[in-house]
Amino acid sequence: MKPQFENPVCDECRSRLGNVFCALTTAQVSEMDSEKNCSIYKKGQIIFNEGNKPAGVYCVNKGKIKIYQTGEEGKEQILRLAKEGDVLGYRSLISGEAYSGTAAVMEDATVCFIPKRTFFDFLHTNADLSTQMMQLLSHDLKEAEARLTGLAQKPVRERMAEALLMLLEFYGTDKEGAINAVISREDIANIVGTATETTIRILSDFKGEKLIDLIGKKIKVNNHQGLIKTAHIYD
Amino acid sequence: MKPQFENPVCDECRSRLGNVFCALTTAQVSEMDSEKNCSIYKKGQIIFNEGNKPAGVYCVNKGKIKIYQTGEEGKEQILRLAKEGDVLGYRSLISGEAYSGTAAVMEDATVCFIPKRTFFDFLHTNADLSTQMMQLLSHDLKEAEARLTGLAQKPVRERMAEALLMLLEFYGTDKEGAINAVISREDIANIVGTATETTIRILSDFKGEKLIDLIGKKIKVNNHQGLIKTAHIYD
DNA sequence: ACTTTACAATGATTTCAATCATATAAAAAT
DNA sequence: ATTTTTATATGATTGAAATCATTGTAAAGT
């Protein structure tokens, strides 16, 4: 039996490369279709909050989301970004703990919720999905460890160059060739792990060095190779 | 058929709480016994090297091991510590990449090697082990993210207090009540993400504040609550 | 259009921690 | 035992980046 309402956005999701749910069987896909619950979130809204117990996982259909931890004086450290096709909230669900971070919407988003029961049912019956999840977690862990080392050893300037390259890679470019995301200087600072003023200064430096262009809020990478050199990435 | 040589150390390993291999069936345990390969490593020896392709996972029977990444000027960033019962090298093996870190022996160790084929065979046929591995990876990821935020937001002093509490928790205490590990100031610095001199100074400060005692190379935590307060941990 | 609010840009100052420099103590090697 | 090496300790100096302070600019609300 088909679900009452088809959701073409979710079909899109499944077809996207890299989403763990590609491992689902046809039967599981239709089960997910009937169990999932899609919602629309506006910019600034919270999808889940640090400290809350997860009730399932989220799959992003559309929009841009940041996952961050809040430090002592309310300063955010952005741990990860998510866009269409990305899955959210699996780490806490799997380890059975409260969320260790908060997910907030940066650009209006459509997000599907898959209940815990359904997700674990899939995990237990589908070895491919388990493998996918392990690989996803392994990838996340590698990323986190690399950032950890960078944060401990690299100066802000290098980390900033690295972050810009990451943002370019992650969001791609719009028709003007700028990074396809409207992201505040404060958010960039909270990715890099620095102060907002420092971010503004370094971006301004990079502009002066013709590495980037600042078009309104948007950032255009002019000299990709130059940024790589600045980031001290040689591999 | 029983393996030619029993290894009581491995039995010990399996009985230890927290080891993912607890999920193995009796048949798998004996398969592992016949496939595994135990070696003795001396202090300073390398178990695996950043950049090399993993051929299996390692299980520590005895000894103390550090996993670190090497930064630009050869500075180590310690990502994780391992002691008896801990498993090593699964992250890279699962994601099918080269090791992102180096494992070096801090105190003489006995380590078993389980070949890739055997490990993946277990993973594919034992759902419990898959679950265990997912939980282990999730835990590692949580740790790494928490450290990331700390590194970005907390001053060295707080991170140092946190690191001492972690070392105490991880290694426990010896008969004198000191942290049960001989760990150099440089290694502590490479855990905290600071300079060796800064580590020495802060440890000396902590001693002055009666938070810790320095008995030779060993560190004894005198005022646990004080360290928690210094680390700004309130949960 | 105007007011309010939020974000970006820049300058001035301070501070935390790295680096440089040297001394002392403990291991390791001869 | 004595030299060499390695680790710890402490002082002096520098420097990168945070913080404080102010102005400019764009966006949102009235």
Side-chain angles (χ1 to χ4, degrees):
Chain A
M1 205 203 290
K2 279 198 169 190
Q4 263 190 294
F5 300 95
E6 289 279 356
N7 190 331
V9 197
C10 282
D11 287 323
E12 235 182 275
C13 252
R14 280 195 295 276
S15 68
R16 259 188 276 267
L17 209 71
N19 186 315
V20 286
F21 291 124
C22 288
L24 293 184
T25 63
T26 316
Q28 288 177 326
V29 165
S30 55
E31 193 188 335
M32 184 157 113
D33 277 339
S34 62
E35 296 289 344
K36 73 165 189 276
N37 198 322
C38 296
S39 311
I40 291 171
Y41 294 86
K42 288 271 161 199
K43 181 179 173 173
Q45 281 192 296
I46 303 295
I47 296 172
F48 57 76
N49 230 310
E50 197 170 344
N52 286 357
K53 276 288 176 75
V57 294
Y58 297 87
C59 183
V60 183
N61 282 315
K62 197 168 130 356
K64 296 183 171 64
I65 291 156
K66 59 176 173 181
I67 295 97
Y68 60 86
Q69 282 183 346
T70 308
E72 314 227 20
E73 299 90 27
K75 193 175 158 66
E76 295 176 5
Q77 177 59 43
I78 295 182
L79 298 173
R80 205 147 21 99
L81 296 170
K83 60 169 192 280
E84 58 278 0
D86 288 332
V87 183
L88 288 184
Y90 47 88
R91 204 219 44 86
S92 300
L93 194 68
I94 285 172
S95 59
E97 302 165 311
Y99 287 120
S100 55
T102 300
V105 176
M106 298 170 76
E107 284 181 31
D108 293 6
T110 312
V111 180
C112 290
F113 174 79
I114 297 115
K116 182 174 175 167
R117 246 185 50 120
T118 311
F119 179 70
F120 276 127
D121 178 47
F122 291 167
L123 262 193
H124 291 141
T125 55
N126 187 330
D128 284 355
L129 182 64
S130 290
T131 304
Q132 286 287 316
M133 281 310 305
M134 280 189 261
Q135 291 185 351
L136 182 56
L137 287 163
S138 294
H139 175 261
D140 289 348
L141 181 56
K142 186 191 177 181
E143 285 281 300
E145 289 178 343
R147 284 183 71 194
L148 187 71
T149 303
L151 210 43
Q153 301 196 349
K154 292 187 176 186
V156 182
R157 219 184 110 89
E158 291 183 26
R159 271 146 51 206
M160 183 65 66
E162 218 163 33
L164 291 178
L165 289 168
M166 180 276 284
L167 289 171
L168 178 64
E169 167 84 17
F170 188 74
Y171 290 123
T173 52
D174 60 17
K175 53 255 170 208
E176 279 92 32
I179 292 171
N180 194 18
V182 179
I183 188 166
S184 70
R185 302 295 140 104
E186 191 180 2
D187 276 343
I188 296 177
N190 294 339
I191 290 168
V192 173
T194 187
T196 308
E197 296 95 320
T198 305
T199 297
I200 292 168
R201 271 182 251 269
I202 293 177
L203 287 180
S204 172
D205 289 349
F206 284 176
K207 189 185 175 177
E209 297 164 36
K210 308 277 181 216
L211 292 172
I212 60 171
D213 262 341
L214 300 175
I215 311 152
K217 260 196 184 188
K218 288 217 169 180
I219 297 168
K220 184 178 173 180
V221 174
N222 269 331
N223 185 349
H224 196 270
Q225 207 53 44
L227 270 187
I228 291 176
K229 221 177 149 188
T230 304
H232 282 207
I233 303 168
Y234 300 112
D235 49 325
Chain B
M1 206 200 292
K2 278 199 169 189
Q4 262 191 296
F5 299 96
E6 289 278 356
N7 190 331
V9 197
C10 282
D11 288 322
E12 232 184 275
C13 251
R14 279 195 295 278
S15 68
R16 259 189 274 268
L17 208 71
N19 186 316
V20 286
F21 291 124
C22 289
L24 293 184
T25 63
T26 316
Q28 288 175 329
V29 166
S30 55
E31 192 187 335
M32 186 157 113
D33 277 339
S34 63
E35 295 289 345
K36 72 164 188 276
N37 199 323
C38 296
S39 311
I40 291 171
Y41 294 87
K42 288 270 160 200
K43 180 178 173 173
Q45 281 193 296
I46 303 295
I47 297 171
F48 57 76
N49 230 311
E50 195 172 345
N52 286 357
K53 276 289 177 76
V57 294
Y58 297 87
C59 184
V60 183
N61 282 316
K62 196 168 130 359
K64 295 184 172 62
I65 291 156
K66 60 178 173 180
I67 295 98
Y68 60 87
Q69 282 182 345
T70 309
E72 313 226 18
E73 298 91 26
K75 193 175 158 64
E76 296 176 4
Q77 176 59 42
I78 296 182
L79 298 173
R80 205 147 21 99
L81 297 170
K83 62 168 190 282
E84 58 278 0
D86 288 331
V87 183
L88 288 185
Y90 47 87
R91 203 215 50 81
S92 300
L93 194 68
I94 285 172
S95 59
E97 302 165 312
Y99 287 121
S100 54
T102 299
V105 176
M106 298 170 76
E107 284 181 30
D108 295 5
T110 312
V111 179
C112 291
F113 175 79
I114 297 115
K116 183 174 174 167
R117 247 186 48 122
T118 310
F119 180 70
F120 276 128
D121 178 47
F122 290 168
L123 261 192
H124 291 140
T125 55
N126 186 330
D128 283 355
L129 181 65
S130 290
T131 303
Q132 286 288 316
M133 281 309 306
M134 280 188 263
Q135 291 186 352
L136 182 56
L137 287 164
S138 294
H139 176 262
D140 290 347
L141 182 56
K142 186 191 177 181
E143 284 283 299
E145 288 178 343
R147 284 183 70 195
L148 187 72
T149 303
L151 209 43
Q153 301 196 348
K154 293 188 176 184
V156 183
R157 220 183 110 89
E158 292 183 26
R159 271 147 49 207
M160 183 65 67
E162 218 163 34
L164 291 179
L165 290 168
M166 180 276 285
L167 289 172
L168 178 64
E169 168 83 18
F170 188 73
Y171 290 122
T173 52
D174 60 16
K175 53 254 171 211
E176 279 91 33
I179 292 171
N180 194 19
V182 179
I183 189 166
S184 70
R185 304 294 140 103
E186 191 179 1
D187 276 342
I188 296 176
N190 293 338
I191 290 168
V192 173
T194 188
T196 308
E197 295 94 319
T198 304
T199 297
I200 291 168
R201 270 183 251 269
I202 293 177
L203 287 181
S204 170
D205 289 351
F206 284 177
K207 188 185 175 179
E209 297 163 33
K210 308 275 180 216
L211 292 171
I212 59 171
D213 262 341
L214 300 175
I215 311 151
K217 261 195 181 188
K218 287 216 168 180
I219 298 167
K220 183 177 174 181
V221 173
N222 268 331
N223 184 349
H224 197 268
Q225 207 52 46
L227 270 187
I228 291 175
K229 220 177 150 188
T230 305
H232 282 206
I233 301 166
Y234 301 114
D235 49 326

